[in-house]
Amino acid sequence: MGKLLLCSHELASVPYYIENIALNVYSLEEMCCYLKHNIDLVEPSFMDDELIAWIRTELKMPSLADRLETSKAGRGGLKEFVKLLAEGCSYCGREEIEGMQWAVADFENKSETECKKIRADRLLQKKRYGACIKEYNKILGFPEVRGMLAGNIYHNLGTAYAGLFFFREAADCFGKAYERNRNPLSFKQQQMAQKLAEGMIMPVKAAKRDEMRLDEQLERFREEYLINCK
């Protein structure tokens, strides 16, 4: 996990594999560390029978496993499930646990598509561009994603590409967004991205001459897409 953790229970001989960040965890403290730093990646599918079985058999914490099992079967939802996990050791403080509960509350009573979009939007807001591009592309492959929803996702995908200075890709996404959502903002961002793409390939002398103008455009572009991230 990148730092020393003091574990209060025996380490697992077989780790639990967290697929979305390709991570093996060997203790409840490591699991809570993952939750604390990656709570925006946690979806309802995290409440998994395999995780509960791992806590029961590998961590030898049957009481916690029973509570998690009851929570999963009842109406506690992801919010309660995360709380029970975090309270199973002393890694997270009370305020941190409450913060994680608020972060996952938005996923309750949402479809898989809605949950994945919430997660991707949060990654975008945190400027984790590579991760959110991957998520948005997955969502766009869902058959139910079309029309305005698809347009808004393309808009945010363009925002992510712009954050990586891939302005040609950004302009293409904003164009696809405008075709679907007819949002003037998407059209405006497409034009801005195209101008920035042209600026990136200007001759060196011209680029230096217009350096201040391009910097100002980029800053305005960033401010607009962050404020209007939706």
Side-chain angles (χ1 to χ4, degrees):
M1 297 294 289
K3 68 177 183 179
L4 184 65
L5 295 177
L6 179 62
C7 299
S8 56
H9 295 82
E10 182 179 343
L11 296 181
S13 57
V14 177
Y16 182 78
Y17 181 68
I18 301 175
E19 186 175 359
N20 58 18
I21 61 169
L23 176 70
N24 284 323
V25 297
Y26 290 83
S27 69
L28 187 59
E29 284 79 5
E30 285 183 320
M31 178 63 74
C32 291
C33 181
Y34 160 75
L35 290 173
K36 177 180 175 180
H37 296 289
N38 300 277
I39 194 63
D40 292 333
L41 300 179
V42 178
E43 297 181 11
S45 59
F46 180 72
M47 297 185 292
D48 183 48
D49 290 336
E50 184 179 347
L51 171 59
I52 296 173
W54 177 77
I55 290 172
R56 185 185 303 280
T57 58
E58 292 296 329
L59 296 187
K60 298 178 175 58
M61 301 178 71
S63 179
L64 175 58
D66 287 343
R67 292 196 298 275
L68 292 171
E69 207 165 53
T70 300
S71 175
K72 181 176 181 295
R75 297 184 178 181
L78 183 59
K79 187 176 177 181
E80 181 180 322
F81 195 88
V82 167
K83 177 176 180 287
L84 289 172
L85 268 177
E87 288 180 341
C89 66
S90 58
Y91 181 82
C92 296
R94 175 58 53 189
E95 290 185 1
E96 291 172 327
I97 294 174
E98 290 177 354
M100 289 191 292
Q101 285 186 281
W102 279 111
V104 300
D106 288 339
F107 293 115
E108 294 181 353
N109 303 315
K110 299 288 196 307
S111 68
E112 180 184 2
T113 300
E114 290 172 321
C115 288
K116 288 189 177 300
K117 186 177 184 299
I118 291 170
R119 184 171 80 172
D121 287 347
R122 287 180 177 178
L123 290 170
L124 175 59
Q125 289 168 339
K126 292 186 176 181
K127 301 183 181 181
R128 297 177 63 175
Y129 300 124
C132 72
I133 286 171
K134 182 178 179 181
E135 291 300 316
Y136 284 133
N137 280 318
K138 284 182 183 178
I139 299 169
L140 287 168
F142 293 171
E144 69 272 19
V145 175
R146 54 187 181 275
M148 183 171 290
L149 175 59
N152 291 341
I153 292 172
Y154 270 117
H155 181 98
N156 288 356
L157 184 58
T159 296
Y161 277 122
L164 294 173
F165 298 90
F166 294 160
F167 295 116
R168 291 197 182 281
E169 291 84 351
D172 180 62
C173 288
F174 287 128
K176 292 178 180 178
Y178 184 66
E179 289 174 2
R180 292 162 173 80
N181 63 16
R182 311 310 292 178
N183 188 329
L185 176 62
S186 296
F187 180 71
K188 180 181 178 181
Q189 299 295 65
Q190 180 191 22
Q191 292 181 313
M192 181 66 76
Q194 287 174 336
K195 289 179 181 179
L196 289 166
E198 292 168 2
M200 296 295 284
I201 60 172
M202 289 169 57
V204 175
K205 290 183 179 179
K208 288 182 178 179
R209 183 174 63 246
D210 289 344
E211 182 177 356
M212 183 62 70
R213 180 179 63 83
L214 288 170
D215 285 348
E216 289 173 353
Q217 286 180 339
L218 179 56
E219 185 59 31
R220 186 167 70 251
F221 183 83
R222 283 173 170 167
E223 289 176 357
E224 288 179 352
Y225 75 63
L226 285 175
I227 291 171
N228 291 285
C229 176
K230 56 191 179 301

